[in-house]
Structure formats: C-alpha cells, structure tokens
C-alpha cells in the first residue's frame, strides 16, 4: 500500500521519463546512504593505514639484528684480575663523578702524572673519539729536557658513564703493556676532571699524511725522509703485523687497521693507534657502536657478522694498497655505500700500476671472501719477510697528483673532520 502511494505521488510529481526528478525524490536511498557508507569506509581505511604506518615506524626504530651486532655478556669495568693485572677494581656503586674518581685514583696511582708536570699545551691535534687530543710538554725533572707528550682528554661535561669508560680505556692500555709497534701509554691524570690519558708523542703523525706528503716535492723534514720504496712498504707492513700478532695473542683484534691509524717515527718505526675498538672487543667481546669507514671493512664486518683478527687481515690488504698508491682512497670508482654489493660480486681492487705482482698476490690473499682462506698475521708477516728480500729498495714510489682532502674524504667515505691536521699545515 505504502509503496503504491509513494509511486502515485512520484508519478504525480514527476513525469514518467524524468529520471532526474525520480532520483531527487529518492535522494535518501540513492545519494545520502552510499555517500555515508563510502565516507565510513574511507575513514576506516585511513585508520588502518595510519596504524600500519605507525607499526612500521616503531619497527624501524627498534634496534634489530641489522643495527647492532650481537653483544655477548660484557666484561664489566670492574676489571677482574686477568683484565688488568689484578690491581684495579672500579667501584661501580659510586654515584658522583668526584666520589668515583676519589675511589678509583688509588687503583691508578702507579700511572698518575702530577698535573704540574704537564706544562703548556702546545697545540690541539684533533678531536678524538673521547675528546680533544693535544700535544703538550711534560717536565721530566731536567728543565733542559722537557718531553713532548700527547694528551687524550675526556671531553666535558662528562657523566659518570663517560668517566668510567675513559678510565676503562686507560686501564686497557695498561693491560696491553708495552709493544714497540703500539702507541705507548705514559700515564694519566685521573684524580679530578679534566681527565687525561698521557701517551708517548709519535711526532711525525699518521701514516696517511706521510703518504700524501710523499707525493709532494718535499725531500726531508725533521729527519723524516719523504720517499717511500717498495722495501719500506714491506718494512712498515711488517711492523703493523707484529702489532696485530700481539693483539691476537691477547684474543683481541684492532678493528680499524688503516693508514690513518698508524703513526710513524723518523726511522719509519710504525705504531698502531686508535685502540678504541680493541677496547670494545676487550670489554664487550665485539664491536658495537663506532662507525668505521666501510671501504676498509671485511665482508663479515659489512654483513654485521661476528669478526676477528682475519677482518684485520682484510684491512691490512687495504693498507698495503694505501701505501703503494701513496694514500689513494680504496675502490675510487665505487661509492662507499655500494661496497658490499661490489664485494658480493666477488670484485676486488685491480693491481695498482706501482704494485709488483708479488705484493698484489699478498693483497689478494688478504681479500679472500672467507676468513678461513686468509692468512693469519703471522703467516702474512712471514710472506712479507720473504718478499722484502727481493723488493726494490731504489725506485721511489711516485704519484704526481696531490690529494685534496675533501675529495679524498668523499671518495673514501670518511668524514673530513676525522682526517688529521698533519697534511694541511705543510
Ligand atoms: N701518540 C700519538 N702521537 C702522535 N699523534 C697521535 C698520537 N695519538 C694520536 N695521535 C693523533 O691523533 C689521531 C687520532 O688518534 P686515535 O685514533 O688514537 O684517537 P681516537 O680518535 O680517540 O681513537 P680511539 O678511540 O680509537 O683511541 C691520530 O691519527 C694522530 O694524528
């Protein structure tokens, strides 16, 4: 009945062929309800999409296996007997920095250098991982013989955690002990802030700057001859390997073997510095946080797999390349972020023109994909000792192009501010 009445009304008001009029009559069913349903549908879709994106974002922020390598239970910084000769126990309960330092100073007393003994700061060398690094003069008791030392400072303001970590680094140096190819700890100033680690001054600075300077027409400066032969490349390489053997004997590895982390003296004695990662290996069993330039890293490091001394062997191959090219950036044609894909295609660097086949074969053995296939530091050292017998001691390595540090940094994938000053002041 009702339908019939509605139909009659419609027929009365609308002509039979006037569809628009019919639609206007049925506005409620034809337009409003579907519009309402579509709106509800769109709102629901929006909410679902928002929830989905929110979940995605939280997953990205959560540190997954991609972000950090698995960290085994840490050796805490209370330094058990094996850790630092059994003479130090850092009281982790202490809450204020002053209390903490007061309680730990006796443990470091043997290393303490009275601040009055450190006279003037001669210059700031660079900013290290913990803070500024200075060259200073240390009073040796004989006023005519002040000694130049390097002060690694803890940047301020420093919280308890940073202080603990810094003292841990000092003690790690102490634990390592002396080796002629590792930069030597002379002492520390830790009874109050600012904290300093006092190191021997390896005055000629880092090997990378030295290599770049060898490209120039500089013959000699402060007793250092800026000429490099194949034989000397082996000589420096051998010393780095001795340092790596030393670390390996202590179940450690360096983690950042590169020309920028090797210091040289005028007699071409090489000393490995930048032991921050070895310290991490010591305390945590693995490397976690620091960003190392990718082009020096072994595939297992790039793949965030557990790594060891054989990853240093890979980097040692890159170091040989650096030396023989007088400090060229590795893989110049590959963007730093594409290095893993490059290596996954089993591509390695070609033999530089200045590199003999013997040296290139040594490099290639370092760049075997599987760690097991790479030689140990000792095996490598023996190969270098054999190679040095027939190496060229006359022909000086030459590269005509000078290095533009900014360009180098971009190609090598290094932050330019981490390159050190030695080169630019020349
Ligand atoms: N004993 C030293 N003699 C001369 N120069 C040094 C010495 N120690 C460090 N340097 C200079 O400071 C730079 C940075 O040193 P290093 O890598 O040891 O510090 P870092 O950044 O604090 O690293 P890490 O945290 O790994 O110890 C070196 O490349 C070198 O130029």
């Amino acid at each position: 009945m009702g339908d019939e009445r509605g139909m009659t009304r419609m027929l009365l008001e609308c002509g039979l062929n006037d569809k628009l009029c019919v639609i206007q009559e049925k506005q409620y069913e034809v337009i409003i309800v579907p519009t309402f349903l579509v709106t509800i549908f769109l709102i629901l879709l929006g909410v679902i999409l928002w929830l989905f994106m929110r979940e995605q974002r939280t997953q990205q922020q959560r540190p997954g296996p991609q972000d950090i390598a698995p960290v085994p239970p840490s050796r805490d910084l209370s330094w058990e007997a094996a850790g630092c000769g059994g003479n130090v126990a850092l009281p982790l309960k202490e809450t204020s920095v002053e209390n903490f330092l007061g309680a730990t100073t006796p443990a470091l007393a043997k290393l303490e250098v009275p601040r009055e003994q450190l006279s003037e700061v001669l210059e700031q060398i660079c900013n290290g991982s913990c803070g500024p690094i200075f060259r200073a003069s240390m009073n040796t008791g004989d006023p005519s013989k002040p000694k130049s030392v390097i002060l690694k400072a803890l940047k301020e303001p420093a919280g308890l955690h940073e202080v603990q970590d810094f003292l841990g680094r000092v003690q790690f140096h102490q634990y390592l002990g002396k080796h002629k190819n590792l930069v030597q700890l002379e002492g520390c100033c830790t009874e109050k802030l600012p904290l300093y680690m006092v190191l021997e001054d390896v005055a000629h600075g880092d090997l990378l700057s030295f290599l770049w300077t060898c490209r120039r027409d500089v013959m000699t400066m402060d007793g250092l001859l800026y000429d490099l032969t194949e034989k000397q490349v082996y000589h420096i390489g051998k010393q780095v390997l001795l340092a790596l053997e030393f670390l390996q004997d202590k179940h450690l590895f360096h983690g950042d073997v590169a020309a920028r982390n090797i210091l040289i003296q005028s007699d071409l004695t090489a000393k490995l510095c930048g032991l921050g990662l070895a310290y991490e290996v010591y305390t945590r069993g693995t490397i976690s946080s620091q960003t190392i330039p990718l082009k020096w890293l072994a595939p297992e490091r790039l793949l965030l797999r557990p790594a060891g001394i054989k990853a240093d062997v890979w980097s040692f191959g890159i170091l040989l390349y650096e030396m023989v090219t007088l400090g060229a950036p590795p893989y110049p044609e590959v963007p730093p972020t594409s290095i893993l894909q490059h290596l996954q295609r089993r591509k390695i660097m070609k033999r530089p023109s200045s590199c003999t086949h013997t040296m290139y074969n040594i490099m290639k053995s370092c760049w075997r994909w599987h760690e097991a296939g790479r030689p140990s530091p000792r095996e490598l050292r023996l190969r270098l000792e054999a190679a040095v017998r027939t190496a060229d001691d006359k022909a000086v390595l030459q590269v005509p192009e000078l290095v533009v540090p900014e360009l180098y940094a971009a190609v090598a994938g290094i932050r330019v501010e981490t390159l050190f000053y030695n080169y630019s002041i020349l």
Side-chain angles (χ1 to χ4, degrees):
M1 269 299 271
D3 271 3
E4 254 172 51
R5 220 179 295 133
M7 183 63 84
T8 323
R9 210 178 111 235
M10 197 177 89
L11 289 174
L12 282 175
E13 288 171 13
C14 304
L16 261 181
N17 292 327
D18 191 350
K19 287 196 179 122
L20 197 65
C21 180
V22 173
I23 286 172
Q24 268 173 0
E25 278 295 319
K26 295 210 154 202
Q27 216 180 74
Y28 187 71
E29 294 91 326
V30 176
I31 299 173
I32 297 180
V33 171
T35 310
F36 180 71
L37 288 175
V38 167
T39 314
I40 297 265
F41 172 75
L42 285 176
I43 290 173
L44 276 174
L45 195 69
V47 169
I48 290 168
L49 269 176
W50 178 75
L51 285 173
F52 175 74
M53 279 162 65
R54 202 179 62 159
E55 178 60 17
Q56 291 281 78
R57 234 178 290 139
T58 24
Q59 269 180 10
Q60 276 168 14
Q61 280 160 6
R62 232 175 266 148
Q66 295 289 309
D67 297 311
I68 46 168
V71 180
S74 76
R75 273 187 235 193
D76 72 27
L77 296 179
S78 55
W79 293 77
E80 66 276 54
C84 63
N87 58 350
V88 181
L90 298 188
L92 296 181
K93 304 186 289 297
E94 295 296 346
T95 46
S96 89
V97 168
E98 287 72 26
N99 288 348
F100 181 74
L101 289 175
T104 53
T105 300
L108 291 164
K110 271 203 293 192
L111 289 174
E112 202 65 27
V113 174
R115 276 164 208 256
E116 332 61 90
Q117 230 173 292
L118 296 168
S119 37
E120 5 148 18
V121 163
L122 302 179
E123 58 190 328
Q124 177 169 347
I125 295 184
C126 62
N127 268 316
S129 58
C130 294
I133 301 181
F134 303 101
R135 175 165 283 125
S137 173
M138 187 163 90
N139 188 347
T140 55
D142 178 351
S144 65
K145 283 190 188 146
K147 184 177 178 182
S148 177
V149 288
I150 297 296
L151 300 183
K152 276 193 175 186
L154 174 63
K155 71 169 168 285
E156 297 201 35
L160 192 57
H161 180 74
E162 284 86 19
V163 168
Q164 273 180 350
D165 183 68
F166 190 80
L167 295 185
R169 284 166 193 263
V170 175
Q171 291 172 314
F172 174 65
H173 256 284
Q174 187 190 26
Y175 158 71
L176 281 182
K178 285 188 194 310
H179 187 280
K180 74 174 172 30
N181 302 115
L182 280 185
V183 70
Q184 194 58 52
L185 180 73
E186 299 263 344
C188 60
C189 299
T190 55
E191 84 295 353
K192 61 174 191 208
L193 296 174
L195 304 185
Y196 296 117
M197 192 188 290
V198 185
L199 297 164
E200 66 170 324
D201 183 7
V202 188
H204 287 289
D206 68 282
L207 177 62
L208 186 59
S209 305
F210 169 77
L211 294 170
W212 290 354
T213 310
C214 287
R215 293 179 176 216
R216 297 184 169 206
D217 270 344
V218 182
M219 285 296 286
T220 165
M221 201 187 298
D222 299 332
L224 182 60
L225 197 62
Y226 284 91
D227 275 345
L228 203 62
T229 61
E230 187 199 0
K231 199 164 197 147
Q232 286 164 336
V233 168
Y234 285 130
H235 175 66
I236 296 173
K238 184 185 136 184
Q239 297 176 72
V240 174
L241 290 169
L242 282 169
L244 292 182
E245 281 179 54
F246 180 75
L247 292 179
Q248 187 186 16
D249 286 347
K250 294 184 181 297
H251 308 285
L252 296 170
F253 64 99
H254 184 271
D256 195 9
V257 173
R260 61 184 173 274
N261 278 327
I262 291 156
L263 302 170
I264 48 161
Q265 290 177 337
S266 50
D267 59 356
L268 287 192
T269 298
K271 291 180 183 256
L272 205 48
C273 70
L275 295 169
L277 293 177
Y279 167 69
E280 277 200 21
V281 176
Y282 183 75
T283 52
R284 303 203 189 109
T286 189
I287 293 169
S288 62
S289 56
Q290 301 205 26
T291 44
I292 308 300
L294 301 177
K295 289 189 172 185
W296 277 260
L297 294 188
E300 62 272 20
R301 294 274 306 275
L302 292 167
L303 289 164
L304 303 177
R305 293 204 192 118
I309 196 78
K310 294 290 182 82
D312 280 347
V313 166
W314 178 289
S315 311
F316 179 81
I318 308 278
L319 169 67
L320 282 182
Y321 170 90
E322 289 187 274
M323 287 198 275
V324 84
T325 58
L326 297 183
Y331 315 91
E333 74 293 357
V334 185
T337 48
S338 307
I339 199 67
L340 178 59
Q341 291 95 307
H342 185 77
L343 298 177
Q344 279 171 328
R345 288 188 210 110
R346 298 296 192 268
K347 291 187 179 168
I348 55 168
M349 278 189 279
K350 294 202 179 74
R351 183 175 68 85
S353 56
S354 50
C355 177
T356 59
H357 286 280
T358 311
M359 192 183 287
Y360 188 55
N361 285 335
I362 296 177
M363 283 181 198
K364 283 198 294 187
S365 70
C366 298
W367 298 334
R368 291 190 187 126
W369 178 273
H370 295 291
E371 299 101 296
R374 293 175 216 149
S376 67
R378 186 184 138 76
E379 286 161 346
L380 259 183
R381 177 171 58 80
L382 296 177
R383 283 184 72 177
L384 258 63
E385 280 171 0
V388 84
R389 284 184 217 122
T390 53
D392 193 334
D393 196 21
K394 298 278 176 304
V396 171
L397 295 169
Q398 278 176 330
V399 178
E401 303 84 33
L402 296 186
V403 175
V404 179
E406 289 73 18
L407 203 61
Y408 172 89
V411 179
I414 295 184
R415 281 182 301 120
V416 74
E417 54 286 8
T418 62
L419 292 171
F420 305 113
Y421 86 119
N422 308 41
Y423 178 69
S424 51
I425 60 154
L426 287 169

